[in-house]
């Protein structure tokens, strides 16, 4: 899989090497019944952007809690990329929302990030990979504590 991560803007500054990013993308595909669809790809992009804005740490998580108002494919990918365990108490709040302009909030020890997807229609996963951050996200708000 060839991905130009530089087109991702801030999402490419998530504290991971390109190889590690590709491994996480593969993990998302495997976790999603061996399928990488547009919803999963959008969730992957959102997850990397959240991780970058929150400080880019997975080993010592910068993201402790997620509030997801999105489709289930995106929710799964975001939880994997951000390394938030859905089985820990109150770590993920999920509300199904199937329109393309879904929203995510993440909270860490010193940051809160709100992300809203732009209302876009994609023809392929490759289209999701190629879309620059400035077009993919309608809003990204970061509040430092």
């Amino acid at each position: 899989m060839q991905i130009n991560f530089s087109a991702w803007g801030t999402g490419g500054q998530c504290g991971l090497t390109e190889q590690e990013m590709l491994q996480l993308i593969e993990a998302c595909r495997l976790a999603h019944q061996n399928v990488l669809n547009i919803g999963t790809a959008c969730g992957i992009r959102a997850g990397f952007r959240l991780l970058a804005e929150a400080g880019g740490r997975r080993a010592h998580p910068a993201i402790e809690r997620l509030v997801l108002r999105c489709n289930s494919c995106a929710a799964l990918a975001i939880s994997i990329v951000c390394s938030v365990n859905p089985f820990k108490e109150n770590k993920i709040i999920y509300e199904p929302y199937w329109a393309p302009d879904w929203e995510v909030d993440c909270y860490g020890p010193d940051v809160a990030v709100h992300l809203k997807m732009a209302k876009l229609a994609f023809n392929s996963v490759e289209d999701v990979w190629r879309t620059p951050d400035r077009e993919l996200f309608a809003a990204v708000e970061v509040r430092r504590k």
Side-chain angles (χ1 to χ4, degrees):
M1 176 180 339
Q2 294 290 330
I3 300 173
N4 180 2
F5 292 112
S6 64
W8 293 15
T10 305
Q13 301 169 359
C14 61
L16 300 168
T17 66
E18 286 189 11
Q19 183 62 34
E20 290 169 325
M21 292 173 73
L22 289 170
Q23 288 172 337
L24 280 171
I25 291 168
E26 179 66 4
C28 291
R29 182 186 66 78
L30 291 171
H32 190 257
Q33 291 128 352
N34 208 25
V35 173
L36 189 59
N37 64 12
I38 291 169
T40 307
C42 287
I44 290 167
R45 290 288 307 273
F48 283 125
R49 180 65 187 258
L50 291 168
L51 191 60
E53 297 293 355
R57 296 182 315 264
R58 288 184 86 247
H60 303 285
I63 299 172
E64 298 173 336
R65 189 166 66 92
L66 292 167
V67 178
L68 307 166
R69 184 175 175 251
C70 60
N71 63 69
S72 59
C73 302
L76 177 64
I78 292 167
S79 68
I80 290 169
V81 171
C82 293
S83 191
V84 178
N85 187 337
F87 301 106
K88 287 193 174 179
E89 189 174 302
N90 297 321
K91 295 295 182 180
I92 296 179
I93 297 169
Y94 172 64
E95 177 186 339
Y97 180 79
W98 298 101
D101 62 338
W102 46 264
E103 300 178 60
V104 178
D105 290 286
C106 75
Y107 303 92
D110 58 354
V111 68
V113 181
H114 173 79
L115 184 146
K116 181 175 178 66
M117 298 297 286
K119 196 170 190 170
L120 299 173
F122 294 102
N123 293 316
S124 68
V125 169
E126 290 74 23
D127 287 348
V128 177
W129 297 152
R130 282 191 291 269
T131 303
D133 278 8
R134 68 182 180 282
E135 296 173 24
L136 187 63
F137 305 112
V140 179
E141 301 163 7
V142 181
R143 296 178 306 280
R144 304 261 177 227
K145 295 177 185 174

